[in-house]
């Protein structure tokens, strides 16, 4: 008689199994079906792999971005630049100033489709997305001395990204 399972105990086992199945289903939904808000706000594409462009020569950048055109010459005494070439790539969306023959000042424009969030900005440049900016307000996010780059700055217009400015070596 001791080893007999009572009808109440049988029902308890059924409900425990059903409860376990519901919990397993909920876990499946959470991790495999639902998307986090952060996942949805990531940049859908990497616009510029910064590690393949910054600190590179004109020929190396051309291999990554395609043929560029000379826009003008830039001058900045502080950066040690008297007549540095300013090249335009990808139909004017990317502007690079070569200081001491390396891609130093990189400007990326026409980004109004993207939300002004740090993980989106860093995702577009193929950088680690979880690093908080050193300065942030409604219009500007700036990372100083981010990895090997002197400065990365994002500028906003109406909660969307207006343009990005990356200073590789110059200040």
């Amino acid at each position: 008689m001791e080893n007999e399972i009572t009808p109440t105990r049988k029902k308890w086992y059924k409900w425990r199994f059903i409860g376990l199945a519901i919990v397993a289903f909920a876990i499946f939904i959470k991790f495999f079906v639902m998307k986090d808000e952060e996942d949805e706000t990531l940049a859908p594409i990497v616009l510029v792999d910064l590690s393949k462009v910054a600190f590179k020569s004109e020929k190396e950048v051309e291999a990554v971005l395609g043929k560029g055109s000379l826009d003008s010459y830039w001058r900045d005494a502080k950066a040690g630049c008297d007549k540095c070439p300013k090249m335009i790539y990808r139909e004017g969306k990317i502007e690079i100033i070569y200081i001491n023959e390396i891609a130093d000042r990189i400007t990326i424009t026409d980004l109004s489709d993207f939300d002004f969030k740090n993980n989106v900005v860093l995702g577009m440049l193929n950088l680690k997305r979880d690093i908080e900016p050193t300065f942030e307000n409604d219009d500007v996010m700036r990372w100083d001395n981010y990895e090997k780059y002197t400065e990365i700055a994002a500028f906003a217009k109406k909660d969307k990204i207006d343009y990005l400015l990356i200073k590789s070596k110059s200040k």
Side-chain angles (χ1 to χ4, degrees):
M1 271 285 207
E2 280 182 36
N3 292 335
E4 267 187 49
I5 299 176
T6 62
T8 309
R9 222 172 184 188
K10 273 187 179 179
K11 287 181 184 177
W12 169 248
Y13 284 125
K14 279 185 187 177
W15 284 109
R16 192 165 60 174
F17 176 74
I18 291 171
L20 185 61
I22 290 171
V23 169
F25 184 68
I27 290 172
F28 173 79
I29 295 292
K30 168 67 178 146
F31 289 107
F32 297 106
V33 177
M34 291 178 62
K35 293 183 179 180
D36 290 336
E37 180 183 332
E38 183 176 312
D39 290 341
E40 291 180 14
T41 60
L42 294 177
I45 56 170
V46 174
L47 293 178
V48 176
D49 189 342
L50 202 54
S51 65
K52 294 180 180 178
V53 174
F55 299 105
K56 306 294 183 191
S57 69
E58 281 187 56
K59 290 197 182 289
E60 292 171 311
V61 171
E62 190 174 294
V64 174
L65 298 178
K67 185 84 172 137
S69 62
L70 179 65
D71 181 52
S72 62
Y73 289 97
W74 190 70
R75 188 175 159 189
D76 185 0
K78 185 178 177 184
C81 182
D82 187 36
K83 191 176 177 184
C84 296
K86 179 167 53 167
M87 301 291 288
I88 302 295
Y89 299 91
R90 294 190 179 166
E91 300 168 359
K93 292 182 181 182
I94 301 174
E95 173 187 294
I96 299 177
I97 299 172
Y98 291 89
I99 301 174
N100 298 324
E101 299 179 12
I102 63 167
D104 199 328
R105 292 178 57 101
I106 303 164
T107 306
I108 306 168
T109 59
D110 196 22
L111 302 172
S112 60
D113 294 338
F114 300 100
D115 292 330
F116 188 64
K117 296 184 178 182
N118 64 335
N119 59 343
V120 174
V121 171
L122 297 175
M124 286 191 293
L125 300 173
N126 201 21
L127 299 170
K128 293 178 188 170
R129 296 176 177 100
D130 59 349
I131 296 175
E132 295 297 318
T134 52
F135 173 80
E136 182 176 14
N137 66 21
D138 291 342
D139 300 322
V140 178
M141 274 190 280
R142 187 179 69 233
W143 292 264
D144 294 322
N145 299 314
Y146 182 97
E147 293 179 0
K148 60 185 175 184
Y149 310 104
T150 302
E151 180 181 308
I152 298 172
F155 299 89
K157 186 182 273 185
K158 298 182 182 176
D159 293 330
K160 297 290 185 180
I161 300 172
D162 188 23
Y163 70 97
L164 302 177
L165 173 64
I166 299 99
K167 295 180 182 180
S168 302
K169 193 174 181 180
S170 66
K171 293 186 179 190

